[in-house]
């Protein structure tokens, strides 16, 4: 009789064995195919020489062929295929796999024969297109260029347009001119639909000239980039390899002309020829980065804005932070004015340009200038900027007006309150949006509608920037109050002047929104946004680098930092001010608030020291608290200041190590 222990042991061994078998299967079987399953055999030999690799003396030119000693070991071999099998495959992924399964053609004559065999008598439009673009990508350019030129001049119009795209996006100058001329007439093909790879393959399987015209736009981008349009295609064609190795296994040739990717007119012609294509946002991003490299920052901002407004939004995340950085720290106020003046409410990112101009006017030329500009904007604006300006007096009275030795009286015009105007702006959702489902607003204030599906991604709003109407109205009211306080300060003398300076500082101290962008949130690391372009793309020659740019931004946008400067000014200019102890204590509180302020804590002089601003703020706060206790011992604030200083010295002794300021 078998014991229970023996049964349990047998079950355990069987379970472990099954698990081991499943792991082995997971690591030795290919990824699933999009088309019919194909036979695959395991191999341990090095990868075969790449199809189309030049032999000595063949004159085939540079290829992506691999040298046998350094070649990766293939997990899977491509099954042997014939040209007749190739001619039946419409799907791009299966076609590429079949092309790789053909007998290796190592001489120019063999490759020419392969192209001729594949096309002769072939009637299927999509397969003909596959042949043309596969040869363009995998055969040496000096061989395939005359072949493409012959197709372009041949009797088949569809072959001719495919060949024209292959030539133009490989960098052929004459073909580029011809394609730009062709782009004057937008394609009538269905190019504005959003596809995933499986949908793209299913479309190809339908066949026909209309499908061929739709797929042509995708193949043109692949010729330009020398990479599959859908990155997953690399894995499905080359199985488990990383993208770079997969490209080598596909033997896609290097780009014949590097100028093709930098040809602005050609990229714009692609968008004109295929309007609404899901690759539009990617093309706009390329153009924006080109303009950045050339130092044409205003034009770069235009293209970043178009990227945010174009389908299918998968590249939009790369445009938001650079666009903010340009608007905040690189473009001039006049540049922003020119961008904001673009006619029509549908101008891309017009809200950002208009608001950034007003905010920059406030921080660089003063709140009085900004208020005049906002009033002018409001006369012709029925959107959020116009409403917020008209509603500013319905916002809460700034708390700082009650600060200082003599609070402003109740009847002062700066304390007036009005009823909010009608017509409060709201987010308008496209037709068909389910009840209760609104857009997502990200930390930079950009509207994102991905969760509503392909329809929203295919037609995003041209102006995706969201401004908080109430916060903006409160900001406008604070600017107006500061402008009036500055006017009164200029006319005052002595203690009255110091008291008005104190009120200005108090307005800033009590409202961190006074100059902070209304399209962002205070929990967002704006340092990352302003630093965004440096990581991938160099700024124009002569531009200020990250630390300088971020420090200048902090001086302008962070209310507590500006308040501290005003309190310091009172100390310098009005040493006999009766409330000087409050002034020094308030300076210390500004440093304390900055030490806890996330945006400020990420503004760093060195990329290696994330804690530098926090440590400096704590050190300055403690030193200033100790000044209150030392220089104003009879003040009612002296004990609180001494306790605060002692607490921080006790809790964070590392901040007060012998580190030079």
């Amino acid at each position: 009789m078998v014991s229970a222990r023996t049964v349990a042991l047998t079950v355990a061994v069987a379970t472990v064995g099954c698990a081991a078998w499943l792991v082995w299967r997971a690591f030795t079987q290919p990824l699933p195919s999009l088309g019919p399953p194909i036979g695959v055999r395991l191999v341990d030999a090095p990868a075969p020489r790449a199809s189309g690799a030049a032999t000595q003396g063949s004159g085939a030119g540079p290829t992506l062929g691999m040298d046998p000693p350094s070649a990766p070991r293939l997990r899977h071999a491509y099954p042997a295929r014939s040209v007749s099998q190739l001619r039946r495959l419409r799907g791009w992924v299966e076609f590429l796999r079949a092309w790789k399964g053909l007998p290796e053609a190592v001489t120019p004559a063999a490759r020419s024969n392969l192209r001729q065999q594949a096309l002769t008598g072939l009637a299927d439009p999509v397969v003909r297109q596959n042949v043309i673009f596969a040869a363009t990508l995998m055969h040496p350019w000096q061989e395939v260029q005359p072949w493409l030129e012959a197709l372009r001049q041949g009797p088949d119009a569809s072959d001719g347009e495919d060949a024209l795209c292959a030539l133009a996006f490989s960098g052929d100058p004459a073909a580029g001119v011809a394609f730009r001329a062709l782009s004057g007439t937008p394609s009538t093909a269905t190019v504005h639909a959003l596809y995933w790879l499986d949908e793209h393959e299913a479309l190809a399987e339908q066949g026909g000239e209309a499908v061929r015209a739709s797929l042509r736009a995708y193949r043109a981008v692949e010729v330009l980039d020398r990479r599959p349009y859908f990155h997953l295609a690399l894995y499905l064609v080359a199985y488990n390899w990383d993208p770079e190795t997969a490209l080598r296994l596909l033997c896609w040739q290097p780009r014949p002309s590097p100028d093709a990717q930098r040809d602005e007119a050609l990229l714009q012609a692609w968008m004109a020829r295929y309007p609404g294509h899901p690759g539009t946002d990617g093309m706009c991003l390329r153009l924006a980065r080109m303009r950045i490299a050339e130092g044409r920052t205003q034009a770069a901002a235009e293209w970043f804005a178009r990227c945010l407004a174009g389908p299918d939004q998968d590249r939009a995340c790369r445009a938001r932070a650079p666009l903010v950085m340009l608007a905040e720290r690189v473009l001039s106020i006049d540049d922003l004015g020119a961008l904001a003046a673009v006619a029509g409410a549908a101008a891309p990112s017009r809200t950002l340009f208009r608001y950034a101009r007003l905010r920059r006017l406030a921080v660089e030329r003063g709140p009085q200038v900004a208020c005049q500009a906002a009033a002018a904007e409001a006369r012709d604006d029925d959107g959020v900027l116009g409403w917020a300006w008209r509603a500013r007096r319905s916002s809460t009275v700034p708390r700082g007006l009650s600060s200082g030795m003599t609070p402003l009286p109740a009847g002062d015009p700066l304390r007036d309150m009005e009823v909010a105007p009608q017509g409060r702006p709201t987010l308008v959702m496209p037709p068909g949006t389910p009840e209760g489902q609104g857009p997502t607003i990200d930390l930079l204030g950009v509207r994102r509608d991905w969760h509503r599906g392909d329809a929203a991604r295919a037609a995003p709003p041209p102006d995706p920037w969201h401004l908080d109407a109430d916060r903006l109205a409160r900001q406008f009211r604070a600017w107006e109050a500061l402008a009036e306080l500055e006017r009164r300060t200029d006319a005052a003398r002595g203690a009255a002047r110091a008291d008005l300076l104190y009120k200005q500082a108090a307005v800033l101290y009590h409202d961190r929104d006074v100059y902070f962008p209304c399209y962002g949130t205070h929990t967002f690391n704006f340092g990352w946004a302003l630093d965004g372009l440096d990581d991938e793309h160099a700024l124009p020659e002569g531009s200020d680098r990250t630390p300088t740019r971020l420090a200048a931004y902090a001086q302008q946008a962070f209310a507590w930092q500006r308040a501290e400067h005003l309190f310091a000014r009172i100390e310098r200019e009005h040493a006999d001010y009766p409330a000087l102890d409050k002034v020094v204590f308030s300076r210390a509180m500004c440093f304390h608030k900055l030490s806890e302020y996330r945006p400020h804590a990420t503004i760093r002089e060195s990329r290696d020291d994330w804690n530098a601003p926090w440590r400096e703020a704590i050190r300055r706060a403690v030193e200033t608290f100790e000044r209150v206790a030392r220089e104003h011992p009879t003040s009612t604030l002296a004990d609180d200041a001494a306790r605060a200083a002692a607490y921080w010295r006790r809790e964070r002794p590392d901040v007060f190590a012998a580190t030079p300021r």
Side-chain angles (χ1 to χ4, degrees):
M1 183 175 180
V2 180
S3 67
R5 181 176 180 180
T6 302
V7 172
L9 182 61
T10 304
V11 171
V13 171
T15 302
V16 172
C18 288
W21 181 82
L22 289 173
V23 170
W24 176 82
R25 288 279 296 179
F27 282 93
T28 57
Q29 296 305 304
L31 291 175
S33 157
L34 289 177
I38 57 176
V40 176
R41 61 182 177 83
L42 294 177
V43 296
D44 290 320
R49 185 182 180 89
S51 176
T55 57
Q56 186 173 3
S58 68
T63 71
L64 288 182
M66 296 176 290
D67 296 326
S70 62
R73 295 168 67 86
L74 289 173
R75 183 182 299 275
H76 302 288
Y78 290 97
R81 292 295 184 102
S82 66
V83 173
S84 61
Q85 290 174 307
L86 183 81
R87 288 154 55 95
R88 295 196 295 270
L89 295 171
R90 294 173 180 161
W92 185 231
V93 169
E94 286 301 327
F95 182 89
L96 292 178
R97 282 208 278 216
W99 184 282
K100 286 294 297 175
L102 294 175
E104 188 175 16
V106 297
T107 66
R111 288 187 286 270
S112 176
N113 184 57
L114 171 59
R115 295 191 296 268
Q116 189 69 21
Q117 278 188 327
L119 277 186
T120 300
L122 178 61
D124 192 298
V126 173
V127 183
R128 289 187 70 87
Q129 182 182 73
N130 290 344
V131 172
I132 292 170
F133 282 102
T136 300
L137 291 165
M138 296 189 194
H139 286 180
W141 179 244
Q142 56 266 46
E143 296 176 17
V144 81
Q145 183 181 27
W147 177 71
L148 289 171
E149 192 60 49
L151 288 175
R152 180 187 164 198
Q153 304 296 336
D156 190 311
S158 294
D159 282 359
E161 189 169 343
D162 283 335
L164 174 63
C165 288
L167 287 163
F169 287 89
S170 293
D172 183 275
V177 172
F179 185 83
R180 290 193 288 274
L182 179 66
S183 69
T185 305
S187 172
T188 58
T190 303
V191 296
H192 56 271
L194 300 186
Y195 296 123
W196 298 102
L197 176 58
D198 54 346
E199 295 165 329
H200 171 272
E201 297 294 302
L203 178 68
E205 290 296 337
Q206 296 176 19
E209 286 293 344
V211 169
R212 181 181 190 176
S214 299
L215 296 177
R216 187 174 291 127
Y218 294 90
R219 304 287 82 81
V221 176
E222 291 181 327
V223 170
L224 179 69
D225 290 343
R226 300 290 154 155
R227 295 183 66 89
Y229 184 93
F230 298 97
H231 293 177
L232 180 59
L234 282 170
Y235 295 94
L236 294 179
V237 173
Y239 304 104
N240 308 36
W241 292 103
D242 62 88
E244 293 306 319
T245 304
L247 281 173
R248 294 173 65 198
L249 297 176
L250 282 176
C251 307
W252 282 19
Q253 300 291 300
R255 188 180 302 107
S257 170
D259 294 334
Q261 279 213 325
R262 298 193 295 268
D263 189 339
E264 298 177 13
L266 182 65
L267 302 188
Q268 293 185 54
W270 181 91
M271 289 189 287
R273 178 63 176 164
Y274 308 114
H277 192 280
T280 299
D281 57 342
M283 284 294 184
C284 292
L285 190 61
R286 297 167 196 250
L287 288 162
R289 290 172 171 175
M290 284 187 210
R291 301 282 163 69
I292 284 289
E294 297 164 356
R296 299 161 62 188
T297 52
Q298 183 178 333
E302 290 186 77
W303 283 112
F304 280 130
R306 293 188 192 184
C307 177
L308 286 176
D312 69 340
Q313 294 292 288
D314 65 333
R315 305 294 288 170
C317 60
R318 301 296 184 91
R320 296 193 301 271
L323 184 56
V324 168
M325 187 275 289
L326 290 172
E328 291 292 342
R329 294 306 311 149
V330 176
L331 295 174
S332 69
I333 290 175
D334 291 339
D335 290 338
L336 290 170
L339 290 166
V342 174
S349 292
R350 189 164 180 252
T351 294
L352 171 68
F353 297 134
R354 295 170 69 204
Y355 172 71
R357 174 177 171 270
L358 292 177
R359 201 195 70 81
R360 292 273 300 278
L361 284 171
V363 299
E364 295 176 27
R365 301 182 187 176
Q368 182 63 49
V369 176
C371 287
Q372 293 171 354
E377 286 269 5
R379 284 196 293 267
D380 303 317
D381 182 83
D382 56 357
V384 64
L385 287 171
W387 183 89
W389 177 256
R390 292 187 291 272
R392 68 192 185 284
R393 289 298 183 93
S394 64
S395 296
T396 306
V397 176
R399 287 179 58 190
L401 300 182
S402 300
S403 300
M405 298 293 294
T406 308
L408 292 186
D412 191 285
L414 289 179
R415 292 186 176 276
D416 288 350
M417 290 291 294
E418 298 176 359
V419 177
Q422 298 296 317
R424 179 188 178 84
T426 57
L427 284 172
V428 178
M429 301 304 297
T433 303
E435 184 68 26
Q437 193 175 76
T440 298
I441 307 298
D442 69 12
L443 293 176
L444 265 176
V446 178
R447 170 176 167 172
R448 301 181 66 188
D449 294 337
W450 278 37
H451 63 283
R452 292 194 296 107
D454 288 352
R457 290 175 54 210
D463 195 351
W465 294 88
H466 173 71
L467 299 180
D468 186 319
D470 292 328
R471 183 174 158 193
L472 184 58
R474 190 171 75 250
Q475 189 174 73
F476 283 158
R477 174 150 200 169
W479 293 358
E480 189 176 50
L482 288 170
E484 176 59 19
L485 289 173
E486 286 182 1
R487 187 191 65 77
R488 297 181 188 183
T489 301
D490 291 340
R493 295 293 181 269
R497 178 184 176 88
D499 209 45
L500 288 167
L501 285 173
Y502 192 100
K503 288 178 173 56
Q504 292 179 48
V507 168
L508 292 162
Y509 178 85
H510 288 296
D511 188 356
R512 63 184 184 179
D513 280 330
V514 173
Y515 290 118
F516 197 85
C518 279
Y519 50 78
T521 71
H522 289 277
T523 60
F524 179 69
N525 175 3
F526 255 91
W528 171 81
L530 299 179
D531 195 13
L533 209 60
D534 282 352
D535 289 339
E536 297 183 18
H537 305 278
L539 286 170
E541 189 68 27
S543 297
D544 57 344
R545 307 314 299 168
T546 298
T548 305
R549 187 168 63 247
L550 299 187
Y553 176 78
Q555 293 281 349
Q556 294 177 351
F558 299 163
W560 289 314
Q561 196 154 328
R562 293 174 71 95
E564 187 274 327
H565 294 332
L566 279 173
F567 287 129
R569 178 182 171 187
I570 297 172
E571 276 199 85
R572 289 194 309 271
E573 299 178 0
H574 302 277
D576 56 348
Y577 180 53
L580 201 60
D581 59 329
K582 292 183 178 180
V583 171
V584 181
F585 189 88
S586 296
R587 281 193 71 188
M589 287 300 297
C590 288
F591 288 126
H592 171 65
K593 285 186 174 291
L594 285 170
S595 73
E596 299 177 338
Y597 191 39
R598 179 175 176 181
H600 177 266
T602 53
I603 301 296
R604 61 200 189 281
E605 290 298 319
S606 168
R607 290 174 184 250
D608 300 325
D609 189 357
W610 287 89
N611 292 322
W614 178 86
R615 294 166 61 89
E616 177 65 13
I618 286 293
R619 187 162 46 244
R620 296 291 298 277
V622 168
E623 291 173 354
T624 312
F625 279 133
E626 290 175 339
R627 281 187 51 218
V628 175
R630 183 175 63 253
E631 298 174 6
H632 306 277
T634 61
S635 169
T636 57
L637 299 171
D639 289 343
D640 288 341
R643 282 193 294 269
Y647 171 82
W648 282 110
R649 283 193 179 276
R650 181 176 66 252
E651 292 297 315
R652 294 309 302 258
D654 56 301
V655 173
F656 303 97
T659 304
R661 278 182 51 186

